[in-house]
Amino acid sequence: MEILADILRPKSLKEVIGQQHLVGENKILYNLVKNKKIFSMILYGKPGIGKTSIAHAIINELNLKAKFMNATINNKSDFDNAIIEAKMNGELVLVIDEIHRMNKDKQDILLPYIEKGTIILIGLTTSNPYHKINPAIRSRCQIFELKELSSIDIKKGLSLACDKLDNIKITDEALEYISNLASGDLRFALNLLEVTYYSTVDKNITLDIVKEINNKPAFFHDANEDGHYDVLSAFQKSIRGSDVNASLHYLARLIEAGDLDSIYRRLSVIVYEDIGLANPGLGPRLRAAIEAADLVGLPEARIPLGEIVIEMALSPKSNSAILAIDEALNDIHKGNTGNVPNHIKTTSKDYIYPHNYPNDYVYQEYLPKNIKNRIYYHKKNNKIEENLNRVSDEMKGKK
């Protein structure tokens, strides 16, 4: 039995929901189909937003010979057979889902036929092709990014689906809930609607019935793909930007995914990269929060993690430390080093011991001669660094 998502698969680009920047009138894919011409391409974006639907619509409108494959499921012999079929027909559209997982063997056998145009490739992926797809494949394809579907798009898809379901009655609250729960994933929304429809006797769908079946959002979060790293990136940038509410939102998404290890690692980076010397006491407090979270586990781990994330988001920020060490490393990479000054070498008798002097300080040169005036650390304008530098200047007798 065909599932609802397949029944609603668009037969033309005008039936595609969303993605008007690609399929709308006078947009790139619209014009290609209008001119009856298609090139190898990669469509990328989150699950359930129309990649496969666009591929189907293009193939149907142009009446092309096509074969649908999956980079992880189909083996090398399947790809060999596709090449034979392409040669027999003179041309074949090969739609490959999860193309970012296609191994080198499969890529090598396809490349010359893509180059000749015997195979027109339509690759589908949730991963950024600039990061995850072999450059040899990428250079032979046009790359198009699909955008997230809006709540209005999802509701439009659900409305079309309801027209296909006999005697369905669904409340506005239930439609709104499914739409919000889908988080832009139309396939998820259609599947949930279909399961709910067939799980009722009278086909009367209410909010309570939907909640009984599913109450977890379908946000895109695959620990092995870009969605995971997008959430981690947004998490760090929200803390760095001192947006406490956004910080808690992305923390909640990571907690919901059960990804405590990534939370621990990313917070440990943030506390030294973005907060740094503006609040150096946060490092040990973060360590204590991580130990507490690790000790109690989920769901209680959310409590110490939530508390430390709030403190980190509200904390003053400074990146002076990372800028300083990166500048020093840059000198090393460029060969700007020089010899260690003689008076601070291991065997030197000319070393001056600072603790023998007032304030435990005495001037002497520590940097190699050729970079003796190099300055790596530039203080930021926050109370902690101001105080550290003031104390340092007083120790050195500066006013």
Side-chain angles (χ1 to χ4, degrees):
M1 185 179 72
E2 268 192 307
I3 63 170
L4 192 57
D6 287 337
I7 293 171
L8 292 172
R9 188 80 69 192
K11 294 178 174 59
S12 66
L13 288 180
K14 69 179 181 181
E15 295 177 6
V16 172
I17 293 173
Q19 313 311 331
Q20 291 303 298
H21 66 296
L22 295 176
V23 304
E25 191 170 351
N26 287 326
K27 299 301 181 183
I28 179 68
L29 294 183
Y30 173 94
N31 288 335
L32 284 174
V33 169
K34 187 177 180 180
N35 291 322
K36 300 188 183 305
K37 186 66 177 176
I38 196 68
F39 300 92
S40 289
M41 67 179 73
I42 295 170
L43 305 175
Y44 81 99
K46 294 182 178 181
I49 62 175
K51 298 184 294 295
T52 306
S53 292
I54 288 175
H56 273 281
I58 290 171
I59 290 162
N60 187 68
E61 283 203 75
L62 295 180
N63 196 28
L64 298 169
K65 182 72 175 175
K67 194 174 188 69
F68 286 76
M69 302 180 75
N70 186 295
T72 58
I73 296 172
N74 294 104
N75 57 35
K76 187 174 177 290
S77 65
D78 294 327
F79 285 88
D80 287 330
N81 291 335
I83 291 169
I84 293 170
E85 189 175 339
K87 288 177 178 178
M88 290 174 60
N89 289 283
E91 183 181 86
L92 177 72
V93 177
L94 189 59
V95 182
I96 303 178
D97 200 7
E98 296 191 83
I99 192 172
H100 60 283
R101 297 184 185 276
M102 190 163 65
N103 63 33
K104 190 175 184 301
D105 285 347
K106 295 171 185 175
Q107 292 174 26
D108 287 346
I109 63 171
L110 288 180
L111 278 173
Y113 301 98
I114 296 172
E115 187 76 46
K116 293 175 188 175
T118 310
I119 286 178
I120 296 170
L121 173 67
I122 300 181
L124 313 177
T125 178
T126 55
S127 291
N128 188 327
Y130 296 102
H131 298 160
K132 297 293 181 73
I133 293 179
N134 186 301
I137 292 284
R138 199 173 63 226
S139 67
R140 290 162 174 80
C141 299
Q142 299 301 312
I143 297 174
F144 301 113
E145 181 179 6
L146 277 66
K147 296 181 179 178
E148 290 188 45
L149 296 180
S150 67
S151 178
I152 294 172
D153 293 328
I154 300 295
K155 287 176 186 173
K156 181 180 177 181
L158 289 171
S159 178
L160 291 171
C162 288
D163 292 339
K164 300 288 185 181
L165 297 171
D166 294 334
N167 302 318
I168 188 173
K169 295 177 183 177
I170 184 167
T171 65
D172 290 340
E173 292 84 0
L175 275 173
E176 183 76 23
Y177 183 76
I178 293 173
S179 176
N180 292 333
L181 204 64
S183 300
D185 186 336
L186 180 56
R187 183 170 55 238
F188 172 91
L190 294 175
N191 289 342
L192 178 55
L193 176 67
E194 188 170 22
V195 170
T196 309
Y197 173 78
Y198 285 108
S199 67
T200 59
V201 175
D202 58 4
K203 311 307 179 191
N204 188 11
I205 299 173
T206 64
L207 177 60
D208 289 339
I209 291 172
V210 178
K211 283 185 174 180
E212 283 179 13
I213 294 170
N214 194 318
N215 61 8
K216 280 197 172 186
F219 66 83
F220 178 45
H221 192 112
D222 182 341
N224 297 313
E225 304 299 346
D226 289 345
H228 172 72
Y229 296 106
D230 286 344
V231 174
L232 285 172
S233 174
F235 183 46
Q236 178 163 5
K237 287 168 183 170
S238 298
I239 294 176
R240 179 188 297 152
S242 300
D243 188 326
V244 66
N245 297 305
S247 302
L248 288 167
H249 170 79
Y250 293 113
L251 173 65
R253 288 174 71 155
L254 291 163
I255 287 173
E256 187 67 18
D259 195 4
L260 290 180
D261 286 342
S262 287
I263 296 171
Y264 300 160
R265 286 193 298 269
R266 189 55 62 110
L267 286 177
S268 297
V269 170
I270 296 168
V271 79
Y272 292 104
E273 178 181 347
D274 297 307
I275 295 169
L277 291 171
N279 192 354
L282 256 181
R285 290 205 292 283
L286 169 62
R287 185 65 211 166
I290 289 172
E291 288 176 357
D294 214 30
L295 178 66
V296 299
L298 288 171
E300 287 81 4
R302 75 190 189 283
I303 304 168
L305 290 176
E307 184 175 317
I308 197 67
V309 164
I310 291 170
E311 189 174 0
M312 289 173 70
L314 297 177
S315 171
K317 310 293 191 299
S318 173
N319 67 340
S320 61
I322 187 175
L323 292 177
I325 187 58
D326 282 353
E327 199 167 340
L329 284 167
N330 190 43
D331 264 358
I332 305 303
H333 297 155
K334 291 191 296 187
N336 293 339
T337 53
N339 295 323
V340 174
N342 288 329
H343 62 278
I344 57 171
K345 288 182 178 178
T346 307
T347 57
S348 175
K349 296 180 180 178
D350 297 322
Y351 172 60
I352 306 172
Y353 191 56
H355 296 301
N356 289 338
Y357 293 81
N359 297 327
D360 300 285
Y361 173 80
V362 61
Y363 174 79
Q364 60 189 323
E365 192 61 64
Y366 293 95
L367 278 170
K369 186 176 181 180
N370 62 315
I371 57 168
K372 67 177 184 178
N373 295 320
R374 196 75 168 92
I375 297 173
Y376 297 118
Y377 168 68
H378 302 275
K379 71 179 176 68
K380 289 292 187 81
N381 185 24
N382 58 75
K383 289 182 179 179
I384 299 292
E385 286 185 82
E386 291 284 357
N387 286 336
L388 284 172
N389 281 271
R390 178 181 54 78
V391 170
S392 179
D393 287 344
E394 290 175 355
M395 179 182 70
K396 296 172 184 177
K398 297 179 181 179
K399 294 183 179 179

